[in-house]
Amino acid sequence: MEPHVTSETRPSEPDYDSVDDVLTDRPSGAPEVDLSDRYEFFRVIQGYLDDASKVVGLPAHLSEMLAQPKNELIVHFPVRMDDGTMQLFKGYRIQHNNLLGPYKGGLRFHQTVSLDDLKALATMMTWKCALMKIPFGGAKGGVKVDTRALSEDELMRVTRRFTHALGNNIGPNYDIPAPDVGTSGQVMVWIMDTYMNQVGHAAKNAQRAVVTGKTLTCGGSPGREKATAQGVVHCITEWAKDNRFDLEGKTAIIQGFGNVGSFSALLLSKLGVSTIATGDHTGYMRTTEGFNAHKLSEYVKRNGSIAGYEGGKSISREEFFATKADLFIPAALENQIGAAEAKALDVKLIAEGANGPCNPEGEKILVERGIPIIPDVLANSGGVTVSYYEWVQNLRSETWDLDEVDRRLEKTMRDAYQRVFTYAREKDITPRVAAYCLALEHLGQAYAERGIFP
Ligand code: NAD
C-alpha cells in the first residue's frame, strides 16, 4: 500500500504553527486568544537541536531538515456519542523522520493535544530511536479529547474512527503508533483490529505489527507495559552505581501516577526506595512511611486517579515540589518544572519519565544548583525499545518470555546511559545535549552515506 500523506510545507518560523493551531481550535465568535503565555515546546526542542548541531558540526542543511517534521497530518472525524448526538473530533499524526526505519511514536488522547506539542514529541522520538540505535524513525499523534468525559464505548468509537481517518498513513512497515498519555493496551488493540479490517482478508493477519503496546492476548510483548518505567529505573541504578549511591532505604517523589509513574513506584519499591509523595491531575499526596505502590496502583486502576486514596495526606502542588527526597521522577506532562519548581526541589537526582518535563528556565536553575538530570530522550526510551521487541516478535510470529525482554532491555539501557554520560563528561555539556549529539551523529552518518534523493 502506498501511503497518502497530506503534507504541508510550513514556514520555518514555528510561531505560525502555534497561532494556526490555536486559531483553528477557536469556536467562531470566541474572543481572540492571547498567545504570549503559550509554552512553545517545539521551539524549545529546536533550541536543543541547534545546541547539539553545533557540538557535532552537523551540516547546516541537515540541521534545517531535522528542525521540521516530514509530514503533518490533521484529520477531523465524526463520532456518534451514547446519547445519539454526533461530535466532531480533531486528530493528528506528525511524522518527523523515517531515515532509520518506519515512523514510530505514541498516540496521546488528551484535551491539551496540539500541533505544536506533537511536533516537539515527534521530533524527540527521532532522537530517541537514533540514540537507542533502533531501526525506527520518529512520529507522534493524538486526538484532542478528554477521555475522562467518554464512556468505554465512546472511547472505542473515537479510536476506531480516528484509525479509519488515518487510513494507510499508518502501517507495520510505514508508521507504527504506541500508547502515550490517555491511551492504553486496549486502545492499541482497537486500532489493530480496525486497521486489520481495512485490508484484504489474505493480508489481515500480517498487520498485527501496525501498533505496539498491545495487550498480551492480542500480540503484545511481555514487559511492554512496565517498559518505560523499567528503563527509567535502569538509568537510576546505573547513576547510583557510578556515584556509589546506595538506593536501599531511600525516598522518591513521583509526579503523575499513570503508566510510567505507577510502574516506577512499583519497580523502585523492589529496590527498597519508597515513594513518599505523588500527584496527578486531581491533586497531590504525601506520607512519611511511603505509599504501598501496589495498593495505590490498584486503586488508580479502579478509580482513574489518586483522589480519595486513604494512605496519604493531601498537599498542595507547591508542597509536593518542596518535599525533601532522594529521587524525583516527573511522569506526567511537559513544562511542569519551571523556575519556581526548580528552586523548590530538594532532591539528589531527577530522572525524566515524562517527555519535556523541565522547561529551559527550570533546567538552567537545576544545572546551576548541581542537581543531575537523566534526560527524557534517554530515561524514557525503554518504552520504544520494548515496542521494537514487540514489532520484531510480531513480524517473526514469535513470543519471547519476560526474562528475554528484561535482559535485552537492561543491556540496551545501561549501554545508552554510559554512552550519554561519558559523552557529556568528555565534551563538558549537559546529558540532554549529549543525548541529542549522539542521536545526531548517528543520523548525520546515515545521511552522509545515503545522500539526499535525487
Ligand atoms: P498516563 O496517561 O498513563 O498517565 C499520565 C499521568 O499524568 C496521570 O496520572 C495523570 O493524572 C497525570 N497528569 C495529567 N495531567 C497532569 C497535571 N496537570 N498535573 C499532574 N499530573 C497530571 O500517561 P503515561 O503513559 O504514564 O505518560 C506519562 C509521560 O511519560 C508523558 O510525558 C509521556 O509522553 C511519557 N512517556 C510515556 C511512555 C509510555 O510508554 N507510556 C513512553 C515514553 C514517555
Side-chain angles (χ1 to χ4, degrees):
M1 271 183 304
E2 270 302 297
H4 303 292
V5 175
T6 312
S7 172
E8 281 175 70
T9 309
R10 290 179 173 271
S12 57
E13 178 54 65
D15 255 354
Y16 289 111
D17 298 330
S18 311
V19 175
D20 177 49
D21 205 25
V22 171
L23 293 184
T24 46
D25 288 340
R26 183 159 60 98
S28 59
E32 275 196 25
V33 182
D34 177 10
L35 294 171
S36 54
D37 282 347
R38 196 183 149 90
Y39 179 58
E40 294 186 75
F41 191 15
F42 185 47
R43 191 191 282 270
V44 169
I45 298 305
Q46 287 175 317
Y48 292 128
L49 168 64
D50 290 343
D51 293 348
S53 296
K54 283 186 203 124
V55 178
V56 302
L58 195 72
H61 71 278
L62 290 188
S63 189
E64 202 179 329
M65 274 167 58
L66 289 167
Q68 294 295 333
K70 277 197 173 179
N71 305 309
E72 300 170 19
L73 176 70
I74 301 179
V75 293
H76 292 92
F77 55 95
V79 176
R80 186 180 302 282
M81 309 309 283
D82 289 346
D83 65 3
T85 60
M86 299 296 279
Q87 204 172 312
L88 193 69
F89 290 88
K90 181 172 190 165
Y92 305 82
R93 188 67 181 169
I94 309 303
Q95 297 166 331
H96 176 258
N97 189 277
N98 63 348
L99 179 77
L100 302 175
Y103 297 110
K104 184 86 187 87
L107 287 178
R108 182 174 286 196
F109 285 7
H110 197 264
Q111 58 277 20
T112 62
V113 156
S114 73
L115 178 63
D116 189 71
D117 291 353
L118 293 176
K119 282 163 69 172
L121 292 162
T123 310
M124 289 171 76
M125 286 307 299
T126 301
W127 313 149
K128 243 179 251 186
C129 294
L131 171 67
M132 302 311 283
K133 300 188 176 163
I134 295 170
F136 284 145
K140 204 84 178 188
V143 178
K144 203 180 204 27
V145 59
D146 178 2
T147 52
R148 291 170 217 281
L150 301 181
S151 69
E152 173 95 349
D153 275 356
E154 287 171 336
L155 178 61
M156 183 184 72
R157 289 197 292 273
V158 166
T159 305
R160 288 190 184 277
R161 271 309 298 240
F162 177 47
T163 309
H164 179 74
L166 289 177
N168 54 9
N169 290 295
I170 57 171
N173 293 308
Y174 181 63
D175 182 351
I176 308 146
D180 191 74
V181 175
T183 53
S184 59
Q186 173 63 78
V187 170
M188 295 305 117
V189 171
W190 287 327
I191 295 175
M192 180 194 79
D193 185 71
T194 310
Y195 185 84
M196 276 178 155
N197 281 298
Q198 291 178 166
V199 297
H201 284 299
K204 201 168 161 177
N205 266 305
Q207 310 299 323
R208 246 169 239 284
V210 64
V211 278
T212 57
K214 301 178 289 288
T215 59
L216 280 178
T217 19
C218 292
S221 174
R224 174 59 184 91
E225 216 190 349
K226 63 161 184 161
T228 305
Q230 184 69 77
V232 172
V233 172
H234 284 319
C235 287
I236 292 173
T237 53
E238 204 62 13
W239 172 85
K241 198 176 77 190
D242 276 2
N243 291 278
R244 298 176 206 286
F245 187 85
D246 184 6
L247 287 167
E248 176 73 39
K250 299 297 191 295
T251 53
I253 60 173
I254 300 180
Q255 189 201 27
F257 213 79
N259 173 280
V260 181
S262 64
F263 276 108
S264 294
L266 279 164
L267 294 165
L268 284 175
S269 71
K270 291 185 183 163
L271 301 175
V273 178
S274 45
T275 300
I276 55 167
T278 189
D280 65 10
H281 66 287
T282 62
Y284 292 84
M285 260 183 201
R286 189 157 65 193
T287 164
T288 38
E289 309 86 70
F291 289 102
N292 179 323
H294 185 72
K295 273 195 187 157
L296 182 54
S297 300
E298 288 303 311
Y299 180 89
V300 171
K301 263 188 210 144
R302 276 196 313 277
N303 299 285
S305 74
I306 62 166
Y309 184 69
E310 289 188 344
K313 178 178 158 288
S314 268
I315 53 170
S316 66
R317 189 176 185 278
E318 289 72 25
E319 286 171 310
F320 169 81
F321 277 101
T323 302
K324 185 178 169 62
D326 295 291
L327 313 173
F328 172 37
I329 303 181
L333 298 176
E334 54 278 353
N335 189 26
Q336 293 297 307
I337 306 154
E341 290 81 9
K343 282 181 196 153
L345 277 168
D346 190 359
V347 297
K348 299 192 176 73
L349 174 72
I350 298 173
E352 294 183 337
N355 283 307
C358 295
N359 71 28
E361 294 75 33
E363 171 144 9
K364 187 164 176 284
I365 291 166
L366 292 167
V367 170
E368 281 163 8
R369 290 186 60 204
I371 299 178
I373 302 171
I374 306 178
D376 42 18
V377 167
L378 166 66
N380 68 37
S381 60
V384 71
T385 304
V386 177
S387 273
Y388 166 57
Y389 302 158
E390 179 176 331
W391 183 73
V392 170
Q393 290 171 73
N394 289 165
L395 295 187
R396 292 184 186 166
S397 295
E398 286 180 5
T399 310
W400 302 354
D401 60 24
L402 181 59
D403 285 349
E404 169 89 12
V405 172
D406 279 347
R407 188 180 54 73
R408 287 180 187 246
L409 178 65
E410 180 169 357
K411 185 173 179 302
T412 306
M413 291 306 304
R414 292 193 190 285
D415 170 66
Y417 175 96
Q418 289 303 338
R419 284 189 286 123
V420 169
F421 277 74
T422 304
Y423 195 101
R425 268 194 304 276
E426 283 173 5
K427 303 269 181 189
D428 195 20
I429 53 178
T430 62
R432 187 182 314 284
V433 176
Y436 274 57
C437 287
L438 287 164
L440 287 183
E441 281 183 354
H442 191 53
L443 286 158
Q445 181 67 26
Y447 270 118
E449 289 168 14
R450 284 177 59 164
I452 309 273
F453 176 83

